[in-house]
C-alpha cells in the first residue's frame, strides 16, 4: 500500500585510537587519539505514483577519551523532512526541511542549523533539461554570540547532443549559473 512507509534503521559504532606514543617523536599520551563514535539513523519513506515523502532522524555522539580531553565530546541530532511531487513526466519538485542541533560538551556550547531546500527539474523537450536549486540556512549558538545565514541558488540548462556516431556515447552542453 502506498500509505505504508518503508522503514530503515541503522546503528554504527566506530573506535579510533592510537596504539601508543611514538618513540623519540616528542608526543605525549594526550597527543594519541582515542575516541568512540556512535551513530543512530532512522527513516520513514512513503512513495505514491506522483508524490513522495520522507522523514529522517539521526543522532550521533562522539566520546573523546584522550587523557586531558575527556570532556571534548560532541553530540548531534538531526530531524529532516522531504516532500516531492511529479505532476508530469516532464516536471518534478522537492522541498527539504531540516533542523540540526549540536552540543559541544567541553565548551558548553549548543548550536542549531536550520535549512530549507527547494529543487525543481523541468524537461520540456527530449534531451533538454532545466534544473534549479535554492537553499537557505541559518546557524545560531545557544549563548547567542554567533548568528550566520547562507543562501545558494543554482540554475542549469542542459541539452544532449549527437556529435559523431560513437556507440553508447552521449555529449551534453550546459550553461550553469550559481550565486
Amino acid at each position: 500500500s502506498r500509505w505504508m512507509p518503508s522503514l530503515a534503521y541503522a546503528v554504527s559504532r566506530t573506535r579510533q585510537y592510537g596504539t601508543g606514543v611514538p618513540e623519540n617523536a616528542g608526543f605525549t599520551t594526550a597527543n594519541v587519539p582515542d575516541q568512540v563514535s556512535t551513530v543512530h539513523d532512522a527513516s520513514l519513506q512513503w512513495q505514491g505514483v506522483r508524490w513522495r515523502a520522507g522523514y529522517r532522524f539521526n543522532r550521533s555522539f562522539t566520546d573523546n577519551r584522550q587523557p586531558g580531553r575527556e570532556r571534548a565530546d560532541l553530540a548531534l541530532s538531526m530531524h529532516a523532512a522531504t516532500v516531492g511531487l511529479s505532476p508530469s513526466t516532464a516536471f518534478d519538485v522537492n522541498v527539504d526541511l531540516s533542523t540540526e542541533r549540536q552540543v559541544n560538551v567541553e565548551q558548553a556550547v549548543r548550536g542549531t542549523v536550520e535549512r530549507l531546500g527547494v529543487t525543481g527539474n523541468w524537461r520540456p523537450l527530449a534531451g533538454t533539461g532545466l534544473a534549479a536549486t535554492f537553499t537557505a540556512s541559518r546557524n545560531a549558538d545557544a549563548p547567542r554570540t554567533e548568528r550566520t545565514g547562507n543562501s545558494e541558488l543554482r540554475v542549469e540548462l542542459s541539452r544532449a547532443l549527437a556529435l559523431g556516431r560513437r556507440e553508447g556515447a552521449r555529449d551534453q552542453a550546459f550553461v550553469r549559473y550559481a550565486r
Side-chain angles (χ1 to χ4, degrees):
S1 168
R2 64 180 169 199
W3 301 111
M4 292 297 293
S6 59
L7 171 66
Y9 175 77
V11 62
S12 64
R13 185 175 188 270
T14 305
R15 173 119 192 241
Q16 173 191 3
Y17 62 93
T19 57
V21 178
E23 293 181 26
N24 300 324
F27 291 107
T28 67
T29 56
N31 301 115
V32 179
D34 187 1
Q35 65 184 24
V36 176
S37 298
T38 306
V39 179
H40 296 270
D41 197 42
S43 66
L44 294 167
Q45 300 290 326
W46 291 267
Q47 180 86 30
V49 175
R50 299 209 179 273
W51 63 272
R52 63 205 155 279
Y55 169 76
R56 183 171 163 233
F57 174 74
N58 178 285
R59 183 167 186 88
S60 64
F61 184 74
T62 301
D63 179 11
N64 198 332
R65 298 175 175 185
Q66 279 176 270
R69 301 280 332 264
E70 293 88 350
R71 291 196 31 83
D73 299 338
L74 182 64
L76 183 133
S77 64
M78 187 265 307
H79 298 271
T82 300
V83 175
L85 297 173
S86 300
S88 73
T89 57
F91 180 73
D92 59 80
V93 64
N94 290 311
V95 176
D96 303 307
L97 295 167
S98 66
T99 299
E100 181 178 305
R101 304 218 190 290
Q102 307 147 354
V103 178
N104 181 323
V105 176
E106 183 178 42
Q107 297 176 3
V109 174
R110 293 183 315 274
T112 302
V113 179
E114 297 170 330
R115 182 183 165 279
L116 164 69
V118 180
T119 303
N121 292 293
W122 179 42
R123 297 163 295 281
L125 304 169
T128 302
L130 179 64
T133 302
F134 174 75
T135 304
S137 64
R138 61 183 179 192
N139 309 346
D141 64 350
R144 304 268 184 215
T145 58
E146 292 184 26
R147 285 181 170 229
T148 61
N150 184 50
S151 65
E152 182 177 334
L153 173 67
R154 292 176 178 262
V155 180
E156 180 176 303
L157 175 65
S158 61
R159 175 72 183 152
L161 305 172
L163 301 176
R165 297 194 175 254
R166 298 175 308 223
E167 187 67 31
R170 179 179 161 179
D171 298 306
Q172 185 176 32
F174 66 89
V175 176
R176 181 180 299 152
Y177 169 80
R179 178 192 64 80

